[in-house]
């Protein structure tokens, strides 16, 4: 027992290697880390920590408001959003890592309105965790440049970088994206079908997610619509929306093949907007039809 106690004491006193130090390893082989921490002002942090809280917790009290005020604020603002985005520029179906990243890039232009439709109550898709419910997110280069733009720290290896927790990426891109005035996230909303008019994709058919899941248990529950110039489907591995949409477009003779995976680039091109890949192009070079599949959902249409 004494020997065990001595061993436990020595283990507890041994400092644990940091994930970001030069002793971090993968598969047991030490790899030199080229991680460069993002600089922050320690002076600012010290000042903010030393400030006195602006309120006295002992006498803290919420202001009384009527429940009807809460109901009116939520209802009015949501209805105004539905009116505003009933006819918008870009609709992105699916708020996972691909959909959020695509929306972030497109909405840099303040003149482009972007509506994100997410069937789940909580956006983020599977990007809250890595593979097998592990925490870390591995990002292949050169996508680390996007992480640099977002200000996300990572451990850098030769061909890839590692974010210590996937939720760090998802929460960061989401907070920056949703703060933009030209972006609206409609979560708990399902896209049930494409709108096709005059030989082009013109938007999506929508419904509350819970209603969409219970069409076979209730009587008639008609949907709503959102019209747009471009529709991006980024519903992930299990997302049927892209595959269903491709099958439909093929069945009516609108397409023979599937567009590529660079969703933000293709969406901007469909809008006739400048982008970092092709530069500026004319109206005649628009993508037809205006329906783009993003990231993992392209795997769903191999046999479509």
């Amino acid at each position: 027992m004494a020997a065990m106690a001595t061993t436990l004491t020595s283990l507890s006193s041994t400092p644990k290697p940091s994930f970001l130090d030069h002793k971090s390893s993968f598969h047991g082989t030490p790899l030199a880390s080229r991680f460069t921490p993002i600089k922050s002002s320690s002076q600012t942090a010290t000042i903010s920590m030393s400030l006195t809280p602006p309120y006295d917790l002992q006498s803290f009290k919420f202001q009384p408001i009527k429940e009807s005020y809460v109901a009116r604020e939520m209802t009015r603002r949501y209805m105004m959003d539905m009116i505003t985005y009933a006819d918008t520029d870009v609709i992105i179906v699916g708020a996972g890592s691909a959909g959020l990243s695509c929306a972030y890039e497109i909405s840099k232009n303040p003149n482009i309105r972007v509506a994100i439709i997410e069937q789940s109550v909580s956006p983020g898709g599977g990007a809250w965790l890595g593979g097998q419910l592990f925490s870390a997110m591995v990002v292949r280069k050169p996508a680390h440049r996007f992480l640099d733009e977002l200000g996300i720290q990572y451990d850098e290896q030769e061909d890839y970088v590692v974010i210590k927790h996937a939720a760090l990426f998802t929460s960061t891109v989401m907070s920056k994206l949703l703060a933009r005035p030209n972006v609206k996230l409609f979560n708990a909303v399902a896209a049930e079908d494409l709108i096709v008019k005059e030989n082009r994709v013109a938007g999506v058919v929508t419904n509350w997610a819970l209603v969409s899941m219970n069409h076979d248990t209730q009587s008639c529950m008609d949907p709503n619509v959102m019209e747009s110039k471009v529709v991006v489907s980024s519903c992930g591995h299990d997302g049927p929306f892209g595959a269903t949409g491709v099958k439909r477009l093929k069945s009516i003779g609108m397409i023979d093949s599937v567009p590529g995976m660079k969703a933000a680039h293709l969406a901007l091109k469909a809008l006739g907007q400048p982008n970092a890949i092709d530069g500026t192009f004319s109206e005649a070079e628009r993508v037809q039809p205006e329906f783009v599949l993003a990231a993992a959902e392209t795997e769903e249409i191999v046999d479509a």
Side-chain angles (χ1 to χ4, degrees):
M1 293 296 291
M4 182 180 294
T6 304
T7 302
L8 291 175
T9 302
S10 63
L11 287 174
S12 62
S13 61
T14 303
K16 296 180 179 180
S18 169
F19 173 71
L20 299 177
D21 65 16
H22 293 280
K23 297 179 181 179
S24 63
S25 64
F26 294 82
H27 308 297
T29 304
L31 295 173
S33 174
R34 297 196 299 271
F35 168 73
T36 303
I38 297 174
K39 295 181 180 179
S40 61
S41 172
S42 58
Q43 182 180 4
T44 304
T46 304
I47 294 175
S48 63
M49 290 294 290
S50 63
L51 290 176
T52 304
Y55 46 79
D56 181 7
L57 290 175
Q58 301 301 321
S59 60
F60 190 86
K61 185 179 180 180
F62 287 106
Q63 292 293 331
I65 61 173
K66 296 178 64 177
E67 294 297 331
S68 59
Y69 293 175
V70 179
R72 285 181 183 138
E73 287 293 344
M74 291 191 300
T75 304
R76 178 175 61 86
R77 293 169 188 270
Y78 196 88
M79 292 301 124
M80 285 303 299
D81 285 334
M82 292 184 70
I83 293 171
T84 300
Y85 289 90
D87 188 356
T88 190
D89 296 311
V90 179
I91 294 174
I92 297 176
V93 184
S97 57
L100 293 173
S101 300
C102 179
Y104 179 90
E105 189 66 26
I106 295 172
S107 61
K108 287 178 179 178
N109 185 334
N111 297 318
I112 299 178
R113 287 179 297 134
V114 180
I116 309 169
I117 299 176
E118 169 55 48
Q119 183 166 318
S120 175
V121 172
S122 55
W128 293 109
L129 290 168
Q132 199 178 323
L133 305 183
F134 294 154
S135 301
M137 174 184 279
V138 180
V139 179
R140 293 184 295 175
K141 292 182 177 180
H144 68 295
R145 297 175 185 172
F146 184 48
L147 304 180
D148 293 338
E149 181 178 334
L150 294 172
I152 298 174
Q153 297 182 5
Y154 51 75
D155 183 16
E156 183 173 8
Q157 304 303 329
E158 185 174 354
D159 299 318
Y160 61 91
V161 300
V162 185
I163 307 171
K164 71 174 184 177
H165 203 298
L168 182 60
F169 165 79
T170 305
S171 59
T172 301
V173 67
M174 195 182 306
S175 63
K176 293 179 180 294
L177 172 64
L178 297 184
R180 293 176 176 171
N182 56 325
V183 176
K184 171 61 182 179
L185 168 66
F186 294 93
N187 40 334
V189 174
E192 295 187 332
D193 201 354
L194 290 173
I195 299 174
V196 178
K197 290 183 177 180
E198 298 178 354
N199 203 40
R200 66 176 296 272
V201 174
V204 296
V205 178
T206 63
N207 216 326
W208 303 121
L210 291 176
V211 171
S212 185
M213 295 168 61
N214 285 277
H215 280 307
D216 57 343
T217 65
Q218 303 294 324
S219 58
C220 179
M221 294 180 286
D222 287 339
N224 206 340
V225 297
M226 294 176 68
E227 293 187 327
S228 66
K229 300 180 179 68
V230 179
V231 175
V232 177
S233 184
S234 56
C235 299
H237 290 288
D238 301 321
F241 187 74
T244 303
V246 168
K247 288 179 179 178
R248 182 181 174 193
L249 296 181
K250 280 188 174 182
S251 68
I252 60 179
M254 283 184 60
I255 61 172
D256 297 321
S257 59
V258 181
M261 295 173 63
K262 298 174 182 176
H265 156 62
L266 289 174
L268 286 168
K269 187 170 183 178
L271 289 169
Q273 296 291 330
N275 66 87
I277 299 175
D278 284 349
T280 306
F281 35 83
S282 66
E283 286 285 309
E285 295 176 287
R286 288 188 174 202
V287 173
Q288 293 292 339
E290 292 78 4
F291 183 48
V292 180
L293 302 183
E297 194 169 16
T298 57
E299 299 176 14
E300 298 295 320
I301 48 79
V302 173
D303 299 321

